[in-house]
Amino acid sequence: MTLASLDNEPSSRDRILDVAESLFARRGYAGVGMKEVADGASLGKSSVFHHFKSKAELYSAACVRILGAFEDRLLRSLAEGGTPSVRLERCIGDLIDVLVAHPTHARLLLRSLFEDDDLPQDGPEGAAVYGSIQNIMGPMAKLLREGMSAGEFRLASVSHVLLLLIGPIVFPFASGDFGEQLLGKDVFDPAQVRRIKGELLDLVRVGLSAPNNAREE
Amino acid sequence: MTLASLDNEPSSRDRILDVAESLFARRGYAGVGMKEVADGASLGKSSVFHHFKSKAELYSAACVRILGAFEDRLLRSLAEGGTPSVRLERCIGDLIDVLVAHPTHARLLLRSLFEDDDLPQDGPEGAAVYGSIQNIMGPMAKLLREGMSAGEFRLASVSHVLLLLIGPIVFPFASGDFGEQLLGKDVFDPAQVRRIKGELLDLVRVGLSAPNNAREE
DNA sequence: GTCTATAATAGGATAGAC
DNA sequence: GTCTATCCTATTATAGAC
């Protein structure tokens, strides 16, 4: 906590993380130079190394920050209660809201999930990434299990369904130019977000519902 | 066509592409050095530059090759006929088969779809990537439209549904360590592939079906 | 905390012999 | 087609002044 944090101006550390997140999201770990990060934060390269002792640590810190944002939102969302289907739909909607509020998140999140080699899995920062992912996936799995026990969701392998749900939630908002060309409009345009969210929730609602449940109640 | 191509031994060009695909898939465009590619293909760096005049061209060529594989399989799959639902499910199953037969494909495919900056969008190779993507997405969109007209699929925005379908098809097989930890087993294990495919096809079958269709026929 | 200067290395790419 | 040798730039990271 510094003096600046009491004010509105973000600290140098936060400015570095902002720039790093945006650059890493676009070009991946190896595609970004520390000089570029420093320039973006209006600092010298050495100042960046003062805050993060290596590039790997900076990358992990950027990942940890966005994973933390997801974790917070997810836990708050789950705490609001409701039936499993209600909570699942609210969770997915809320997670998408986080992705949309920070357009750079989806790409870096996707990278942190499938670029094993980039992350220095050892060290405290690497462990934080791993822990945060666990804290997100755990409650989601629990929610699916509850819904199946309650007879709201059809019986299915929780882990396989979970693995299947990540793609449609994250990829659209990481798809960049491809998504824009497919839709003919910016993926982050509010109207497009609403339609993507709507289609996904429709798909999940009926796709996961138990066969004996009425289709429309 | 060289003499070697009449034999069983792959040409240098193919060996380079094999190595490049595997490396680019794992570490992304910037994360791979031409030296590394050359070593993997048991060649000197200059020999690689003889076959591909730049790193960007090599990357595009690797992407074009896998996109071509998808295109071929998809068009053959669609030509087999059947109702829209039958064809959609067969397509998704066949595309997954391609991903599973070449475990390195999913990651590079995902990258080629969301890493705009990496691809040199200009030039002949960049255009081939773009064209191949169009040749894959076009017929898929047509299939969805047919299914909606026929009353088999519920009415929905074709492009948004398409954007939503890519994630669950590709991500599981690009997820690497994450997927393995989630499932507790290798994602490419035949039994796991069967379950992932099964869950996805279930989700799509009921999730896209028209409301007035009987759930089980 | 931030800077300049510098080290040490690895990167993409080319020239020219064979 | 493949090689060795080379060029030039960019990279991560450190040292030390302010």
Side-chain angles (χ1 to χ4, degrees):
Chain A
M1 288 299 162
T2 67
L3 265 169
S5 66
L6 301 172
D7 214 336
N8 275 342
E9 293 158 31
S11 66
S12 290
R13 196 174 190 280
D14 288 337
R15 283 199 341 261
I16 294 171
L17 279 174
D18 288 342
V19 174
E21 175 180 323
S22 155
L23 289 173
F24 283 138
R26 266 197 309 224
R27 291 205 293 278
Y29 178 73
V32 176
M34 296 297 264
K35 171 79 160 57
E36 210 175 352
V37 174
D39 288 350
S42 303
L43 287 174
K45 211 173 27 165
S46 300
S47 302
V48 175
F49 276 99
H50 172 79
H51 290 281
F52 302 92
K53 74 173 188 295
S54 72
K55 182 183 175 181
E57 187 179 300
L58 173 59
Y59 183 74
S60 290
C63 290
V64 165
R65 201 176 57 150
I66 70 165
L67 285 168
F70 279 98
E71 199 181 321
D72 286 354
R73 183 61 167 265
L74 181 71
L75 296 184
R76 265 189 290 132
S77 186
L78 284 171
E80 283 183 39
T83 67
S85 353
V86 166
R87 286 156 71 210
L88 178 63
E89 290 186 42
R90 190 177 51 226
C91 277
I92 293 177
D94 285 355
L95 291 181
I96 289 182
D97 286 343
V98 176
L99 292 174
V100 171
H102 310 277
T104 199
H105 277 25
R107 283 192 179 196
L108 191 55
L109 176 63
L110 207 54
R111 287 186 193 279
S112 75
L113 291 180
F114 89 110
E115 293 192 342
D116 322 307
D117 298 344
D118 284 358
L119 280 163
Q121 293 166 329
D122 319 312
E125 291 279 4
V129 170
Y130 178 80
S132 219
I133 291 179
Q134 299 297 105
N135 289 344
I136 292 167
M137 301 308 288
M140 288 289 288
K142 181 152 169 276
L143 175 56
L144 287 179
R145 277 194 298 272
E146 283 173 21
M148 289 182 199
S149 304
E152 288 185 34
F153 303 149
R154 65 178 164 80
L155 294 179
S157 163
V158 168
S159 57
H160 294 79
V161 168
L162 220 44
L163 190 59
L164 280 176
L165 284 180
I166 296 171
I169 295 175
V170 181
F171 177 73
F173 304 102
S175 63
D177 284 357
F178 169 75
E180 183 158 349
Q181 280 189 347
L182 187 57
L183 300 188
K185 290 184 182 169
D186 181 11
V187 185
F188 290 98
D189 177 86
Q192 300 304 310
V193 173
R194 232 174 298 129
R195 294 197 75 172
I196 294 172
K197 210 191 275 191
E199 295 290 356
L200 175 57
L201 291 178
D202 283 352
L203 189 74
V204 168
R205 182 160 36 234
V206 322
L208 285 186
S209 68
N212 49 329
N213 275 0
R215 191 67 165 280
E216 322 248 325
E217 315 202 18
Chain B
M1 289 298 160
T2 67
L3 267 169
S5 66
L6 300 172
D7 214 337
N8 272 343
E9 294 157 32
S11 65
S12 290
R13 196 175 190 279
D14 287 337
R15 283 200 338 263
I16 294 170
L17 280 175
D18 288 342
V19 175
E21 176 181 322
S22 155
L23 289 173
F24 283 138
R26 268 197 305 220
R27 292 205 291 277
Y29 179 73
V32 176
M34 294 298 264
K35 172 77 160 53
E36 208 174 353
V37 175
D39 288 350
S42 303
L43 288 173
K45 206 167 42 159
S46 300
S47 302
V48 175
F49 276 100
H50 172 78
H51 291 282
F52 303 92
K53 73 172 189 296
S54 73
K55 182 183 176 182
E57 188 180 297
L58 173 59
Y59 183 74
S60 291
C63 291
V64 165
R65 201 175 59 150
I66 70 165
L67 286 168
F70 280 97
E71 198 181 322
D72 287 354
R73 182 62 167 264
L74 180 71
L75 296 184
R76 265 189 290 133
S77 185
L78 285 171
E80 285 183 38
T83 65
S85 353
V86 166
R87 286 157 71 213
L88 177 63
E89 290 186 42
R90 190 175 52 225
C91 277
I92 293 177
D94 285 356
L95 291 181
I96 289 181
D97 286 343
V98 176
L99 292 174
V100 171
H102 309 276
T104 200
H105 277 23
R107 283 192 181 195
L108 191 55
L109 176 64
L110 206 55
R111 287 188 193 278
S112 75
L113 291 179
F114 88 111
E115 293 192 340
D116 321 305
D117 297 343
D118 285 357
L119 280 164
Q121 293 166 330
D122 319 311
E125 292 277 6
V129 171
Y130 179 80
S132 219
I133 291 178
Q134 298 299 105
N135 289 344
I136 292 167
M137 300 310 287
M140 287 289 288
K142 182 155 167 274
L143 176 56
L144 287 179
R145 277 194 298 272
E146 283 172 21
M148 289 181 198
S149 304
E152 288 186 34
F153 304 148
R154 66 181 163 78
L155 295 178
S157 163
V158 168
S159 57
H160 294 79
V161 169
L162 221 43
L163 190 59
L164 280 176
L165 284 180
I166 296 170
I169 295 175
V170 181
F171 177 73
F173 303 102
S175 62
D177 284 356
F178 170 75
E180 183 159 348
Q181 279 190 348
L182 188 56
L183 301 189
K185 290 186 182 169
D186 181 11
V187 185
F188 290 98
D189 177 86
Q192 299 305 308
V193 172
R194 232 175 297 129
R195 294 196 77 170
I196 294 172
K197 209 192 274 191
E199 296 291 355
L200 175 56
L201 291 178
D202 282 353
L203 189 74
V204 168
R205 182 162 36 237
V206 321
L208 286 186
S209 68
N212 48 332
N213 274 1
R215 190 69 164 281
E216 321 247 328
E217 313 203 17

